[in-house]
Amino acid sequence: MKMDSRITVTSPLLPDLDEFHEMLKDIWASKWITNNGSFHKKLEAALAEYLKVPYISLFTNGTLPLLTALQALRITGEVITTPYSFVATTHAIWWNGCRPVFVDIDPATGNIDPDRIEAAITPRTTAILPVHVYGNPCDTKRIQMIADKYGLKVIYDAAHAFGVEVEGESLLNAGDLSTLSFHATKVFNTIEGGAMVMHDAEMKKRIDYLKNFGFANEVEVVGPGINSKMDEMRSAYGLLNLKQVDAAIEARRQVALRYREALKDVEGITFFQDLPGVRHNYSYFPIFVEADKYGMTRDELYFKMKEKGVLGRRYFYPLISSFSTYKGLPSAAKENLPQAHKMAESVICLPMHHGLNDEDISRVLEMIVE
Ligand SMILES: *Cc1c(COP(=O)(O)O)cnc(C)c1O
């Protein structure tokens, strides 16, 4: 199998090299390469505008804003979360010395099921950490009502939700804080990178201190901070990618439309539709394989695709609650998470990125439609 005949599940959005070179020349001339330089400031301003959020703080990846959000809100005790995510979501809870409490998901979205949250609340619960999985919006109104009733904080892992809007409003404004990842595999990337979205200037100041060791000025450290600053090169790279992200999302939408049209009559294969009033970002295209109807198991299809150079991903399998670190938790019991197990055992994320051409899409579909 030739390397270049493989169709990968994702492909990074890359800036124009000449434009990037021009920006690098500016950075070299200024000799300011990190610590809130001019490209860092420009990217924060441009992202706040693009994402329709009041305040945003850049981070060096998408995991550190999760860790820092829990720190900033002084979360302790138990945190209610979803097992159906990338493992960093639960790691952030653990690294803060808190106990993750897994709640099952709603099969209609893949997100934490609001109907099951209240039953998981104990006197030690202090926060809810949901994920907008695949960019599908959580039921943020219901979750906020529950949080308000019990005095809980809400932090959204919005790593998949770059640019997602509900009724014209950014999904990132829900909850107390939201975090983003700008990793190479995401819709918008700065190679490695991430951000946190907050509601007010006071919180932004606090977060900006925390991501720079807690320094408020040259001589004052106001808290036990961390180092999670984004440098000037990746900020410049991000500014250039932001100019092309709408075109990339539109290209992804076209891929999703082709997939849906071709798969709509395939027995045993299901997928998500666009939700009314939602601007989706098409960050992933998960399909769900029902083995008895489709005539092949998920893994049989997955490995058949792989053999032919069509690389899907089983996101999210195994569940976070199945990893050795977490499987001993009472809430990790399989009986507690039937819908999450069902989804994890049936999912394949198909190749989904801006660079797929007609031939690639046909090759992916050939694998599934016999
Ligand atoms: C990618 C991702 C992260 C971690 O982001 P990094 O930038 O890789 O640190 C966290 N949560 C979810 C749901 C993710 O998909």
Side-chain angles (χ1 to χ4, degrees):
M1 179 68 56
K2 286 207 309 306
M3 282 297 280
D4 58 11
S5 71
R6 292 190 320 171
I7 302 175
T8 52
V9 72
T10 183
S11 172
L13 187 61
L14 292 166
D16 179 86
L17 209 44
D18 290 330
E19 283 186 88
F20 189 45
H21 191 212
E22 287 307 310
M23 285 184 161
L24 288 179
K25 282 187 193 163
D26 290 345
I27 296 169
W28 259 241
S30 75
K31 300 191 171 58
W32 190 319
I33 60 177
T34 187
N35 286 60
N36 202 23
S38 70
F39 284 106
H40 183 283
K41 287 190 183 119
K42 275 185 213 152
L43 182 58
E44 281 193 347
L47 281 171
E49 189 186 334
Y50 177 85
L51 296 171
K52 303 183 185 170
V53 299
Y55 296 94
I56 190 165
S57 181
L58 294 174
F59 277 73
T60 198
N61 60 48
T63 301
L64 281 157
L66 279 171
L67 285 171
T68 308
L70 290 155
Q71 279 284 313
L73 300 177
R74 301 197 175 88
I75 302 304
T76 58
E78 293 176 2
V79 179
I80 289 172
T81 191
T82 171
Y84 196 76
S85 179
F86 183 61
V87 71
T89 312
T90 306
H91 284 346
I93 298 170
W94 200 262
W95 271 60
N96 272 274
C98 299
R99 176 188 275 249
V101 175
F102 297 113
V103 164
D104 206 8
I105 60 169
D106 176 356
T109 59
N111 293 328
I112 195 166
D113 184 347
D115 285 337
R116 295 172 189 276
I117 292 176
E118 284 197 70
I121 295 174
T122 76
R124 292 175 299 282
T125 310
T126 58
I128 310 172
L129 176 39
V131 180
H132 303 296
V133 79
Y134 309 129
N136 289 342
C138 287
D139 189 340
T140 56
K141 286 199 185 84
R142 287 275 315 279
I143 291 171
Q144 196 59 53
M145 274 169 57
I146 297 165
D148 290 344
K149 184 170 163 193
Y150 293 90
L152 309 177
K153 300 288 187 191
V154 184
I155 299 164
Y156 284 100
D157 180 341
H160 300 178
F162 186 90
V164 174
E165 294 176 10
V166 181
E167 308 294 352
E169 216 212 297
S170 175
L171 182 60
L172 304 172
N173 288 325
D176 292 281
L177 295 167
S178 288
T179 67
L180 289 160
S181 165
F182 303 153
H183 183 255
T185 54
K186 305 298 206 272
V187 171
F188 170 81
N189 85 89
T190 58
I191 308 175
E192 294 274 355
M196 195 191 308
V197 169
M198 60 286 284
H199 298 293
D200 58 77
E202 207 43 46
M203 181 59 86
K204 163 135 172 85
K205 204 158 96 184
R206 179 120 147 259
I207 297 301
D208 286 346
Y209 293 159
L210 281 177
K211 76 176 185 198
N212 186 28
F213 310 99
F215 277 111
N217 56 49
E218 253 179 68
V219 292
E220 261 182 292
V221 169
V222 295
I226 191 116
N227 178 11
S228 187
K229 305 186 299 297
M230 184 181 284
D231 62 70
E232 285 294 276
M233 274 148 280
R234 287 186 289 147
S235 302
Y237 177 108
L239 272 170
L240 293 174
N241 264 352
L242 194 55
K243 291 200 291 185
Q244 28 170 20
V245 75
D246 278 335
I249 291 172
E250 176 55 23
R252 286 168 174 272
R253 192 175 76 88
Q254 294 301 330
V255 177
L257 294 179
R258 286 264 330 256
Y259 282 161
R260 284 177 186 158
E261 180 55 30
L263 296 176
K264 70 181 194 308
D265 298 323
V266 179
E267 212 182 341
I269 300 289
T270 56
F271 45 85
F272 295 122
Q273 296 294 347
D274 284 0
L275 298 164
V278 175
R279 186 228 187 196
H280 287 275
N281 64 5
Y282 309 93
S283 48
Y284 298 85
F285 195 91
I287 61 165
F288 305 100
V289 184
E290 264 180 89
D292 47 342
K293 286 193 197 152
Y294 183 64
M296 199 186 273
T297 66
R298 184 275 306 271
D299 283 349
E300 282 166 350
L301 176 58
Y302 171 74
F303 287 112
K304 178 184 124 183
M305 286 166 59
K306 198 166 176 176
E307 218 169 86
K308 299 271 168 62
V310 176
L311 306 181
R313 284 302 292 266
R314 288 170 290 178
Y315 281 148
F316 287 99
Y317 167 85
L319 293 176
I320 305 176
S321 49
S322 300
F323 291 129
S324 59
T325 319
Y326 302 117
K327 70 177 184 209
L329 293 167
S331 64
K334 196 169 179 178
E335 313 81 74
N336 187 43
L337 308 166
Q339 297 298 342
H341 276 274
K342 197 171 164 213
M343 197 169 270
E345 278 149 30
S346 64
V347 69
I348 301 177
C349 285
L350 300 185
M352 172 49 86
H353 57 83
H354 62 283
L356 292 171
N357 60 33
D358 285 349
E359 200 188 317
D360 297 332
I361 297 168
S362 301
R363 263 184 67 201
V364 174
L365 290 167
E366 264 167 39
M367 296 282 107
I368 305 160
V369 189
E370 287 294 11

